[in-house]
Amino acid sequence: MKKMRVGIVGAGNIARSGHLPAYKELRDIAEVTAIADLNEERAKEAAQLFNVPRWYGSAEALLEHEDVQLIDICVWNQAHAPIAIAAARAGKAVLCEKPLASSLEAALETERVIRETRTPFMCGMASRFSQEVTLLKEMIDRDEMGTVYYVKTGYVRRRGTPVGWFTDLEKSGGGPVIDIGVHNIDCAWYLMGKPRPVRVSASAYAPFGDFEVRGVSRWQALDRGTGKVNTEDSAAAFIHFENGAVMFAEASWALNAPEGRYTQLCGEKAGATLDPFVIYRENASHFLVDERPVVQPVNRFAQEIRHFIDCIRQGREPIAPISDGVTVQRMLDAIYRSARSGREVEL
């Protein structure tokens, strides 16, 4: 079977730390043949570092001149939609890093074009591909937990505001909610069985801005941009679903609280947590038991990409289709609208 020819758009941190190393693991099924970035020198540097034969100074140049089958989008949020649309119209399959877009309007336009062109598409929701999530989803699908009706999830940094385009609202679409909170919101919603969200109540805060703290490292975007800091520092939300379930979600780049990442799911028959991975239920003798399954770590990006390539070849829908990306975008959009208005928002 011939290798899938891949073009990566964006030569920044997520491409270098996540996607490009994953393709090295997948050399049996995929080959990165080109990489593009608005900074052509950065594209050249990444290409040479990962033995990619061609590099370009724009996505348009890659799409026009490179014979690729799959476009992997690793750029800032605002550019997700236009590149995905251009790739779809060029006849390429598309893998797009989370979130689907920087706004709901852009996400809906992307969905329209993807469906119109019948483009194989997957949202890059790597958290769905951890071994813990995979095993827990199998357990839930076997109805071992019953209906999951209450979820708490959070991605909290005490001090960890990234430097660069992340804090520029025009390029990012938001702060920690759309940057890191999206991982937990999507993963928890996926494990809940993807019920339809109906209302959201949220608050967001921005007292810290561009802080200075000794001994704290910060994620550095390779393109530092304008240096704007006009997004939230933290936010918290209640999301209500059509089936009566509810999710509490919080995300922060800067918050005077213990930092960490957590997800807790409560079902009718059992519950579970991620980070750490524990199952909470009764045994046959009606004792309460805590089970700690032993799992092996996996490269989530490699698992994600392999899954999508298999789906393209077999004509199957991936586990993170564009409809999921749009629904998650609706939740993100509602969180921001509720926080701005100080009112509950109906979807």
Side-chain angles (χ1 to χ4, degrees), residues 177-316:
V177 171
I178 203 169
D179 176 38
I180 56 178
V182 63
H183 285 294
N184 282 43
I185 291 170
D186 170 76
C187 187
W189 175 67
Y190 168 67
L191 289 170
M192 293 172 77
K194 303 192 293 191
R196 187 173 75 87
V198 292
R199 338 189 280 282
V200 174
S201 178
S203 295
Y205 305 93
F208 294 94
D210 190 16
F211 58 81
E212 291 291 338
V213 178
R214 292 182 179 180
V216 175
S217 62
R218 298 167 68 178
W219 180 277
Q220 304 275 337
L222 296 186
D223 188 347
R224 304 297 165 81
T226 61
K228 290 182 181 177
V229 182
N230 55 5
T231 60
E232 80 277 7
D233 296 328
S234 62
F238 275 100
I239 305 172
H240 296 262
F241 299 92
E242 188 175 42
N243 65 350
V246 65
M247 179 195 303
F248 168 74
E250 62 174 335
S252 74
W253 284 336
L255 189 69
N256 287 326
E259 66 178 52
R261 186 173 179 180
Y262 67 89
T263 296
Q264 176 182 324
L265 301 101
C266 301
E268 297 165 331
K269 299 178 182 179
T273 58
L274 300 171
D275 305 305
F277 186 27
V278 183
I279 309 299
Y280 302 89
R281 56 181 164 187
E282 297 178 26
N283 65 14
S285 300
H286 301 291
F287 289 111
L288 296 177
V289 294
D290 299 353
E291 302 170 0
R292 291 173 170 78
V294 177
V295 297
Q296 295 298 317
V298 297
N299 184 327
R300 296 175 299 164
F301 291 104
Q303 295 288 102
E304 171 185 75
I305 294 166
R306 182 180 290 278
H307 168 76
F308 186 40
I309 290 175
D310 287 344
C311 288
I312 294 170
R313 288 177 168 163
Q314 298 168 19
R316 295 186 290 114

Side-chain angles (χ1 to χ4, degrees), residues 8-28:
I8 294 183
V9 181
N13 282 326
I14 193 63
R16 298 186 188 207
S17 65
H19 291 243
L20 283 163
Y23 285 110
K24 289 184 69 174
E25 289 189 24
L26 301 172
R27 58 175 60 93
D28 58 322

Side-chain angles (χ1 to χ4, degrees), residues 85-147:
I85 289 170
R89 288 178 171 157
K92 316 298 185 184
V94 179
L95 172 63
C96 182
E97 255 298 328
K98 60 78 191 169
L100 178 56
S102 60
S103 70
L104 179 58
E105 293 75 18
L108 290 170
E109 177 62 11
T110 305
E111 182 184 38
R112 185 189 69 78
V113 174
I114 293 300
R115 297 199 183 284
E116 180 183 276
T117 56
R118 299 184 179 181
T119 297
F121 185 98
M122 189 170 85
C123 299
M125 301 296 195
S127 293
R128 295 190 184 193
F129 291 88
S130 74
Q131 195 74 336
E132 293 89 343
V133 171
T134 298
L135 295 175
L136 185 55
K137 184 65 165 65
E138 291 174 0
M139 176 184 167
I140 291 170
D141 288 346
R142 290 193 300 266
D143 197 35
E144 293 183 36
M145 286 183 63
T147 299

